[in-house]
Amino acid sequence: MVTEQDKQGTSTGLPVALSLYIAGGANPSEAARENLAAALRELMIDDSSLEIVDVLLRPDRALSDHIYVTPTLIRVEAGARKILIGDLRDVAVLKRFISGP
């Protein structure tokens, strides 16, 4: 479970809050999950504060967060929101996205 403190990136291994929006078990969504998990392992970042949101189960959440495409990875740090769309197969781009500016 992700707490508000986790979302602020202050209590877990992640320096920022990450949320991955997926559409059930669709191939791009599964690929994004696997690619993100691999990147977090390589970066030795604990994924316990990673939030996975299935938009098929939580369409309300997708709408409120303005998510119109899946898979979408959101990174929030110090109130700034960055978005990465796709199956996250480009490892270099994904690692830069996770690590920050």
Side-chain angles (χ1 to χ4, degrees), residues 17-39:
L18 293 174
S19 298
L20 178 63
Y21 295 80
I22 60 169
N27 288 342
S29 293
E30 286 301 315
R33 287 178 80 144
E34 292 170 10
N35 292 332
L36 179 57

Side-chain angles (χ1 to χ4, degrees), residues 13-79:
L14 279 179
V16 296
L18 293 174
S19 298
L20 178 63
Y21 295 80
I22 60 169
N27 288 342
S29 293
E30 286 301 315
R33 287 178 80 144
E34 292 170 10
N35 292 332
L36 179 57
L40 292 174
R41 275 193 308 272
E42 287 183 28
L43 293 169
M44 297 191 311
I45 294 175
D46 178 13
D47 66 355
S48 62
S49 66
L50 170 66
E51 178 184 31
I52 305 288
V53 179
D54 187 337
V55 301
L56 299 180
L57 300 174
R58 297 286 317 272
D60 57 320
R61 177 70 190 277
L63 288 173
S64 69
D65 291 347
H66 307 285
I67 302 300
Y68 304 107
V69 176
T70 61
T72 296
L73 181 62
I74 303 289
R75 177 179 182 270
V76 177
E77 181 179 24

